[in-house]
Amino acid sequence: DSGVTQTPKHLITATGQRVTLRCSPRSGDLSVYWYQQSLDQGLQFLIQYYNGEERAKGNILERFSAQQFPDLHSELNLSSLELGDSALYFCASSVAPSQGYGYTFGSGTRLTVV
Amino acid sequence: QQQVKQSPQSLIVQKGGISIINCAYENTAFDYFPWYQQFPGKGPALLIAIRPDVSEKKEGRFTISFNKSAKQFSLHIMDSQPGDSATYFCAATNSDAGNMLTFGGGTRLMVKP
């Protein structure tokens, strides 16, 4: 157990729908990162939050959004889902955004859009 | 634009052999280079990491070699074991610019008994 908890583990939904992925960071970590892993794009950074505030955006679609709550858990919202959104979505956490010592990934949420 | 290129995509090594995975980067602002190991159904797990002020770092059977002038770094797995069979990702980050990781494409390693 890495200490980063992601729910649900698996999600199957239809095109056009909206889903919410949840992440609880490791105890003491203030920074949360979301990554998407797909066969064709590999592991891609989506967005980062630090202590409730957005810090950086990567290749995140406008249909996707995220937030980090006061208790530091984070949610990734995916809307108007398309078949191509099917992927593994990972959350990772670290103590601080400039720590530079690597961070801890959760086990991911496998999203299947049908 | 892929900023970290990883090779090979797949690798088969006999038990006891040396596994070598190479990565090259473009962004000279990168200052931290971790390697992650990922087993099926699991998230990537930090294996070993290096900063550009050293040329080599060793942890057990795992060694990172770093060539700053060539902008290349590599992972060597000595005495490879079947349990090492996994996908390995190199990554790079600028720790002063948010610490988000740019990953290589991954190498699927199979160690044959």
Side-chain angles (χ1 to χ4, degrees):
Chain A
D1 182 11
S2 68
V4 177
T5 303
Q6 289 189 248
T7 57
K9 291 191 182 302
H10 303 276
L11 199 49
I12 301 175
T13 190
T15 55
Q17 295 298 305
R18 171 190 169 95
V19 297
T20 297
L21 313 184
R22 181 187 169 103
C23 169
S24 294
R26 199 177 50 169
S27 178
D29 286 354
L30 301 179
S31 197
V32 170
Y33 309 77
W34 287 96
Y35 284 81
Q36 179 193 58
Q37 185 174 34
S38 61
L39 285 175
D40 56 343
Q41 295 292 325
L43 269 161
Q44 297 232 321
F45 168 71
L46 294 178
I47 197 165
Q48 175 199 13
Y49 280 82
Y50 175 66
N51 206 19
E53 295 191 2
E54 181 184 306
R55 283 294 296 259
K57 268 186 175 182
N59 297 318
I60 188 167
L61 299 172
E62 286 191 9
R63 299 182 286 109
F64 296 0
S65 65
Q67 54 184 328
Q68 186 179 28
F69 295 87
D71 67 353
L72 301 178
H73 91 271
S74 178
E75 294 181 355
L76 179 67
N77 301 297
L78 316 176
S79 61
S80 302
L81 285 168
E82 303 175 358
L83 296 177
D85 298 327
S86 297
L88 268 167
Y89 291 85
F90 287 105
C91 168
S93 71
S94 68
V95 172
S98 61
Q99 186 72 9
Y101 292 111
Y103 34 75
T104 304
F105 282 83
S107 294
T109 293
R110 181 174 294 279
L111 173 66
T112 303
V113 182
V114 297
Chain B
Q1 180 187 8
Q2 184 183 8
Q3 294 192 50
V4 179
K5 293 184 179 180
Q6 183 172 346
S7 63
Q9 287 186 314
S10 62
L11 183 60
I12 300 175
V13 174
Q14 290 295 128
K15 179 182 175 182
I18 303 174
S19 303
I20 302 175
I21 304 171
N22 300 299
C23 285
Y25 63 97
E26 300 170 7
N27 187 346
T28 55
F30 288 150
D31 62 356
Y32 178 70
F33 301 87
W35 284 87
Y36 283 83
Q37 179 189 57
Q38 185 179 26
F39 292 104
K42 300 292 185 182
L46 180 63
L47 192 61
I48 186 173
I50 197 168
R51 295 191 177 277
D53 53 348
V54 298
S55 60
E56 186 174 281
K57 182 174 181 179
K58 183 176 181 179
E59 290 184 2
R61 297 185 294 109
F62 300 91
T63 299
I64 299 178
S65 297
F66 188 85
N67 185 330
K68 187 174 180 179
S69 61
K71 294 187 287 186
Q72 295 176 346
F73 58 111
S74 60
L75 175 70
H76 291 64
I77 306 175
M78 312 300 288
D79 187 27
S80 298
Q81 299 296 312
D84 297 330
S85 297
T87 300
Y88 293 81
F89 293 93
C90 62
T93 186
N94 178 351
S95 55
D96 289 331
N99 204 29
M100 64 285 291
L101 291 170
T102 299
F103 282 91
T107 296
R108 183 171 292 185
L109 171 66
M110 179 184 296
V111 181
K112 288 193 168 183

